[in-house]
Amino acid sequence: MGLLEEIGEKIESMITQRPAFKAACEKCFREADHDNNGKISPKEAAKKVEYIFTEIEKDLLDYNIKVKKPTTEQVKHFLDIADKNGDYVLDEEEFFEFYKQVVKFASATSAKGFFRKYGVSMLAGIASMMVAKRGVASIPAAGTIVAPFMALLPSILVGPVLGVAVKLGFEKGDIMALKKELFPSSEDKAESKPQASGS
């Protein structure tokens, strides 16, 4: 399994394990079940794809990641997978499977979008961490003291986060504002608290 597939599965799991996912799925099913018989047609299920993608896009909005919507043929494929008994209608359990297929598709496309947008920054972050560790280790006095602490920060984990944070900072136009938002100092926290008005 490749890195993109692993990330797609992690995103899918993160989304589908949330209580909001099940609630959104149940809401979609109830809205599509116009005659309240506990079943919806594939056509009604397909109409809900737009709603599903609107919800997914809301989750990814902060990261500026675009999610490619499935084609009509792909939606038909999701329906074929979900319709376990082949009766051309979906009960609530089958609709949940349909919903998961759509999210799985969205996860894969959002992971690709994430790497297109942040991949170079993530690699640069890893390289920066490696260079920083070597640089600090080469300083005689500081290297002896700081190197053990730097070893606690695995470059492969911290580097991508650092790279994405820097890219987001540049996109927002103020890397220091991003630093304050992600890692506020006690002074920053005190500034953000509302002042009590004295009488």
Side-chain angles (χ1 to χ4, degrees):
M1 176 184 302
L3 184 60
L4 280 179
E5 290 83 12
E6 280 186 47
I7 290 174
E9 284 186 9
K10 295 263 189 224
I11 293 170
E12 175 191 354
S13 175
M14 181 179 72
I15 293 170
T16 59
Q17 298 302 315
R18 292 174 49 203
F21 175 81
K22 183 143 177 72
C25 183
E26 290 168 352
K27 178 182 176 195
C28 273
F29 185 82
R30 282 192 312 272
E31 289 173 355
D33 185 16
H34 298 293
D35 55 5
N36 294 321
N37 69 351
K39 296 189 180 280
I40 60 173
S41 72
K43 185 177 179 181
E44 291 168 321
K47 287 180 187 176
K48 287 299 177 183
V49 170
E50 186 67 35
Y51 172 79
I52 293 167
F53 271 84
T54 300
E55 292 300 308
I56 292 168
E57 287 173 341
K58 284 180 192 175
D59 285 342
L60 298 175
L61 187 65
D62 288 342
Y63 302 103
N64 247 351
I65 298 171
K66 304 284 187 219
V67 181
K68 178 183 158 196
K69 295 180 180 176
T71 64
T72 302
E73 289 302 314
Q74 288 168 320
V75 172
K76 286 180 185 175
H77 178 69
F78 303 153
L79 289 164
D80 289 341
I81 292 170
D83 186 17
K84 301 283 186 212
N85 60 7
D87 64 356
Y88 300 105
V89 291
L90 301 177
D91 61 25
E92 193 166 0
E93 185 178 318
E94 290 172 325
F95 184 77
F96 187 76
E97 180 60 35
F98 169 74
Y99 203 82
K100 278 181 25 182
Q101 292 298 319
V102 172
V103 169
K104 190 174 184 177
F105 174 85
S107 297
T109 59
S110 62
K112 288 176 187 170
F114 186 85
F115 273 104
R116 270 188 233 109
K117 184 163 183 76
Y118 297 109
V120 172
S121 298
M122 292 169 71
L123 292 174
I126 293 169
S128 298
M129 282 296 296
M130 293 170 81
V131 167
K133 284 181 176 184
R134 284 197 179 130
V136 168
S138 70
I139 302 170
T144 307
I145 297 167
V146 178
F149 297 107
M150 292 289 282
L152 296 174
L153 302 171
S155 299
I156 198 75
L157 298 176
V158 176
V161 173
L162 177 67
V164 170
V166 169
K167 179 158 175 94
L168 281 170
F170 281 120
E171 285 177 353
K172 292 185 177 207
D174 188 356
I175 204 155
M176 292 312 290
L178 181 66
K179 180 245 175 223
K180 284 182 178 182
E181 187 177 320
L182 294 175
F183 310 105
S185 66
S186 54
E187 293 85 24
D188 295 333
K189 289 177 185 175
E191 287 176 15
S192 65
K193 287 184 182 175
Q195 298 293 326
S197 57
S199 359

